[in-house]
């Protein structure tokens, strides 16, 4: 390799003897070796004062009153300059610094220690934190044992219908906020007692327009070895209760939410249109399918995540059709969604072309893996940088619509790694590896690349290509797939998508223009200078009318349409 990504500054020359604590800062061994230092294990050096005796660490514990037994999971500390909101609620891709460490069978009253060896984000080490006054808070993310049907035993966060957001997940533990002075030049030893338990999230009540249900999935529970739930939120058309009409259904997909589909609520333009006599009467359904890895399953079968594709087609949609009067014919089943929902709605249409009648995919996640938020899975040697002759250039993960870089790939992956090892961050790149990748020897997914070094595993990339690359799937299966998806594919995306997702869409469009037997170029629209997640030039009400007209064009001859007086 011509380059090894390293960001740690050169440490001061001093011999130290410390315990090896995991996970350690990526890339640090080469820095220490280059400096010619003698060491027993790896530690990002702070000041001489801190090394002389005072540690630089946080100690996080919990009482038996909060959690009666031992915890296998991950402890965190969050650090903020302000206390307008709890620090645990301020973390994010562009949020406040946080640091984490895995713990195993940690009993009440014992400490989980976070120190300078533990990876954080956006600062990689406590050594990088400037001296000052801060508000700090400790957390414990509690994992659950899953004895999977394939024989592997995994410790994962069991989603509590919060959408894999550990900082607000019921049953997780957090401390009160402390105001402290932190100075890595001097050292500090801060105790944080996670004595508070996040309460259960109440299931939203139904309204006249919005109905919800949830049930245990037999397929998914068998796979994971413990109860796994599916659910749906359903938006009903005007006059539903007083009629016997059956209606077309739009399966509107996205990240986990129990809110009303299409953000439907009184006082909005959509609500006003929904009430009009000349507006199409349709049912809109969003799925809830959080997994132990992420807030959404991507609606496909996966060796790591489970048979979610089968569960949605054979358990969840039949439950929708049993509970509500929907037209059970392909021409009246439509799909749409943005980002994650954009990919899964397109995948559902391509993988089940006889079941669904059309898809409107907005800013879909990579439809081919030649550009996975900047990473070419098939050609790049490393996910963190590009080789340009004698130069190595950081891979851009995200950007503003003027082209200004937001994060590098390395920064984005270190953020996920700080949130959870073994793909347990609940974040985007980890779920792609979980859904698309093979099973690793330890039962967790085999990643596309090493999240510490960025080195890409070509065998995993080929697994992605063979099973989940949507463009490659179309190429391999066009002879039978092409005739089934005529007039069904509609894709919208900004040409300055924040995560560079338009690059993969360009490739799909270019290939579809070349198709023969049959020739079908699809429909693609690009928003000029538009970021993530542009969904086209019309509002939601106009798009629903567009879908309704699409349904009318494809309904069988002689089919009546009492659901729309147009």
């Amino acid at each position: 390799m011509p380059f090894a990504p390293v960001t740690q500054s050169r440490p001061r020359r001093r011999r130290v003897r410390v315990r090896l604590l995991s996970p350690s800062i990526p890339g640090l061994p080469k820095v220490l070796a280059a400096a010619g230092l003698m060491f027993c294990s790896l530690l990002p050096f702070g000041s001489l004062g801190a090394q002389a005796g005072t540690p630089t660490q946080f100690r996080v514990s919990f009482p038996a009153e909060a959690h009666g037994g031992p915890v296998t999971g991950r402890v965190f500390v969050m650090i903020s300059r302000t206390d307008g909101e709890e620090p645990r609620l301020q973390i994010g891709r562009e949020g406040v610094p946080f640091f984490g460490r895995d713990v195993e069978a940690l009993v009440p009253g014992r400490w989980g220690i976070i120190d300078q060896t533990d990876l954080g984000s956006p600062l990689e080490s406590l050594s990088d934190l400037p001296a000052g006054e801060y508000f700090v808070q400790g957390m414990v993310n509690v994992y659950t044992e899953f004895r999977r049907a394939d024989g592997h035993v995994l410790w994962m966060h069991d989603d509590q219908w919060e959408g894999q957001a550990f900082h607000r997940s019921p049953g997780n533990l957090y401390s009160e906020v402390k105001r402290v002075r932190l100075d890595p030049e001097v050292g500090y030893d801060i105790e944080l007692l996670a004595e508070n338990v996040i309460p259960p999230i109440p299931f939203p009540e139904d309204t006249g327009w919005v109905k919800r249900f949830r049930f245990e999935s037999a397929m998914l529970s068998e796979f994971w070895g413990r109860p796994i739930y599916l659910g749906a939120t359903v938006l009903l058309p005007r006059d539903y209760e007083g009629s016997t009409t059956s209606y077309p259904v739009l399966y509107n997909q996205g990240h986990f939410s129990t809110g009303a589909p299409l953000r439907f609520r009184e006082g909005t333009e959509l609500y006003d249109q929904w009430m009009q006599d000349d507006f199409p009467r349709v049912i809109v359904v969003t799925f809830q399918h959080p997994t132990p890895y992420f807030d959404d399953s991507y609606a496909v079968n996966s060796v790591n995540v489970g048979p979610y594709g089968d569960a949605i087609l054979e358990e969840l949609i039949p439950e929708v059709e049993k509970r509500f009067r929907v037209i059970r014919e392909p021409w009246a089943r439509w799909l749409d969604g943005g980002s994650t929902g954009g990919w899964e709605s397109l995948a559902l249409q391509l993988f089940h072309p006889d079941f669904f009648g059309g898809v409107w995919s907005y800013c879909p996640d990579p439809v081919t893996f030649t550009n996975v938020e900047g990473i070419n899975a098939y050609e790049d040697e490393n996910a963190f940088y590009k080789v340009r002759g004698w130069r190595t250039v950081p891979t851009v993960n995200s950007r503003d619509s003027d082209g200004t870089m937001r994060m590098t790939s390395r920064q984005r992956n270190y953020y996920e790694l700080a949130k959870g090892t073994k793909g347990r961050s609940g974040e985007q790149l980890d779920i792609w590896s979980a859904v698309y990748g093979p099973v690793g020897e330890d039962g967790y997914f085999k990643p596309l690349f090493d999240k510490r070094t960025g080195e890409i595993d070509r065998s995993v990339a080929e697994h992605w290509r063979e099973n989940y690359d949507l463009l490659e799937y179309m190429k391999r299966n066009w002879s039978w797939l092409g005739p089934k998806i005529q007039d069904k594919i509609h894709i919208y995306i900004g040409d300055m998508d924040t995560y560079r997702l338009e690059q993969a869409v360009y490739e799909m469009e270019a290939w579809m223009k070349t198709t023969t037997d049959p020739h079908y170029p699809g429909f693609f629209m690009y928003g000029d200078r538009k970021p993530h997640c542009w969904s086209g030039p019309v509002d939601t009400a106009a798009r629903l009318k567009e879908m309704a007209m699409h349904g009318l064009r494809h309904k069988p001859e002689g089919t009546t349409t009492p659901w729309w007086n147009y």
Side-chain angles (χ1 to χ4, degrees):
M1 295 291 179
F3 171 79
V6 175
T7 60
Q8 301 298 324
S9 60
R10 188 177 297 275
R12 302 181 184 184
R13 295 182 180 273
R14 183 177 179 86
R15 295 185 181 182
V16 294
R17 190 174 296 272
V18 295
R19 294 178 296 115
L20 177 62
L21 299 172
S22 178
S24 59
I25 300 299
L28 192 57
K30 293 186 179 181
V31 178
L32 295 178
L37 295 178
M38 298 178 61
F39 56 96
C40 298
S41 61
L42 307 180
L43 178 68
F45 285 59
S47 70
L48 295 180
Q51 299 303 324
T54 305
T56 301
Q57 66 181 25
F58 291 87
R59 290 187 283 159
V60 182
S61 68
F62 62 92
E65 294 78 12
H67 192 95
V71 166
T72 292
R74 190 164 176 85
V75 296
F76 292 92
V77 61
M78 291 80 170
I79 304 172
S80 175
R81 293 190 176 102
T82 64
D83 65 344
E85 188 176 35
E86 292 178 57
R88 68 185 172 97
L89 303 177
Q90 297 183 48
I91 64 171
R93 296 176 194 173
E94 299 179 3
V96 303
F98 70 96
F99 303 84
R101 176 182 292 195
D102 291 338
V103 294
E104 184 176 348
L106 182 68
V107 298
R110 298 294 298 272
W111 304 105
I113 296 176
I114 297 172
D115 62 21
Q116 292 165 298
T117 68
D118 293 302
L119 182 66
S121 178
L123 303 179
E124 293 180 14
S125 169
L126 288 173
S127 300
D128 300 327
L129 188 73
E133 297 286 330
Y134 295 99
F135 297 92
V136 302
Q137 187 174 31
M139 274 210 74
V140 181
N141 185 11
V142 180
Y143 291 167
T144 298
E145 184 183 59
F146 291 87
R147 294 187 171 273
R148 241 172 29 189
D150 60 4
H152 290 294
V153 178
L154 280 65
W155 285 89
M156 309 282 294
H157 174 70
D158 191 10
D159 190 87
Q160 299 298 299
W161 224 245
E162 89 286 346
Q164 281 299 336
F166 75 84
H167 59 284
R168 58 182 181 86
S169 178
N172 278 352
L173 315 174
Y174 65 96
S175 74
E176 296 297 327
V177 179
K178 276 189 177 182
R179 183 172 184 173
V180 296
R181 178 167 179 79
L182 304 177
D183 185 351
E185 294 289 323
V186 176
Y188 48 82
D189 186 4
I190 309 296
E191 297 181 4
L192 297 169
L193 180 64
E195 58 188 333
N196 304 293
V197 184
I198 300 175
I201 297 174
F203 199 65
E205 294 184 3
D206 288 349
T207 69
W209 303 104
V210 180
K211 310 297 181 182
R212 299 173 177 85
F213 66 87
R214 178 173 56 183
F215 65 93
E216 182 180 341
S217 163
M219 291 182 181
L220 300 173
S221 297
E222 180 181 3
F223 176 84
W224 280 103
R226 59 181 299 110
I228 300 292
Y229 295 88
L230 294 172
T233 303
V234 181
L235 173 61
L236 298 176
R238 199 187 87 176
D239 303 328
Y240 178 88
E241 296 296 342
S243 75
T244 58
T245 299
S246 293
Y247 301 90
V249 58
L250 167 62
Y251 291 106
N252 166 250
Q253 302 310 305
H255 288 288
F256 179 89
S257 173
T258 55
L262 307 178
R263 299 181 180 177
F264 179 87
R265 60 184 182 278
E266 292 189 35
T268 63
E269 184 174 352
L270 174 61
Y271 180 89
D272 293 339
Q273 291 288 317
W274 198 261
M275 297 296 107
Q276 299 298 317
D277 290 337
D278 62 349
F279 195 79
R281 304 286 191 260
V282 299
I283 291 175
V284 182
V285 177
T286 59
F287 299 145
Q288 282 89 44
H289 43 125
T291 81
Y293 276 110
F294 196 56
D295 75 342
D296 184 286
S297 73
Y298 276 73
V300 292
N301 294 338
S302 164
V303 293
N304 289 295
V305 180
Y308 275 88
D310 289 346
I312 287 171
L313 268 292
E314 299 175 28
E315 292 181 333
L316 184 51
I317 289 179
E319 190 66 22
V320 171
E321 295 183 341
K322 181 177 72 174
R323 291 172 179 254
F324 302 96
R325 298 192 309 275
V326 302
I327 299 173
R328 303 181 185 186
E329 297 181 37
W331 69 268
R333 295 189 190 103
W334 314 321
L335 295 155
D336 84 341
S339 193
T340 289
W343 190 94
E344 70 185 12
S345 59
L346 183 58
L348 282 168
Q349 182 65 75
L350 294 177
F351 293 158
H352 308 282
D354 293 325
F355 191 81
F356 298 103
V359 59
W360 286 257
S361 172
Y362 316 128
C363 55
D365 287 350
V367 296
T368 184
F369 301 136
T370 55
N371 196 305
V372 182
E373 294 193 354
I375 303 164
N376 188 326
Y378 305 140
E379 296 183 5
D380 289 347
E381 294 182 357
N382 194 288
F384 294 167
Y385 60 84
K386 309 288 186 186
V387 178
R388 299 285 185 257
W390 288 84
R391 295 185 185 277
T392 53
V393 182
T395 295
V396 177
N397 169 267
S398 52
R399 65 186 176 185
D400 293 326
S401 57
D402 65 357
T404 303
M405 182 171 62
R406 285 188 178 182
M407 295 179 74
T408 67
S409 177
R410 182 177 184 272
Q411 290 169 335
R412 172 63 181 273
N413 278 282
Y414 280 15
Y415 164 70
E416 294 196 3
L417 189 56
K419 290 188 75 175
T421 59
K422 299 183 182 295
R424 295 175 293 197
S425 69
E427 288 287 335
Q428 195 70 67
L429 292 164
D430 276 343
I431 187 57
W432 288 339
S433 272
V435 172
Y436 306 149
V439 178
E441 293 181 2
D442 61 358
Y444 299 90
F445 63 77
K446 189 176 183 181
L448 175 65
F449 54 88
D450 188 307
K451 289 182 84 75
R452 287 180 166 81
T453 67
E455 182 178 358
I456 291 176
D457 186 325
R458 194 66 59 216
S459 68
V460 175
E462 288 305 312
H463 189 278
W464 284 36
R465 189 204 302 261
E466 182 65 25
N467 293 279
Y468 299 99
D469 186 312
L470 299 185
L471 175 55
E472 294 295 323
Y473 179 80
M474 293 173 72
K475 290 178 180 179
R476 291 195 306 271
N477 298 286
W478 189 254
S479 61
W480 66 265
L481 178 63
K484 295 175 180 289
I485 61 172
Q486 296 294 296
D487 197 32
K488 291 183 179 182
I489 308 299
H490 314 81
I491 299 178
Y492 299 80
I493 193 167
D495 65 9
M496 287 296 289
D497 186 272
T498 308
Y499 306 103
R500 305 173 65 189
L501 300 175
E502 80 283 356
Q503 298 299 320
V505 173
Y506 287 147
E507 287 194 42
M508 177 173 281
E509 181 188 26
W511 180 81
M512 290 189 72
K513 286 180 178 179
T514 70
T515 55
T516 57
D517 300 324
H519 173 64
Y520 174 52
F523 177 87
F524 294 82
M525 182 177 286
Y526 302 90
D528 183 31
R529 307 291 294 180
K530 298 299 183 182
H532 195 74
C533 181
W534 188 73
S535 58
V538 303
D539 62 17
T540 302
R543 180 55 45 76
L544 286 169
K545 286 187 175 181
E546 180 184 325
M547 293 174 178
M549 289 300 298
H550 176 88
L552 294 181
R553 291 197 303 270
H554 293 276
K555 65 180 177 62
E557 187 71 28
T559 301
T560 59
T561 59
W563 50 274
W564 191 17
N565 298 315
Y566 55 95

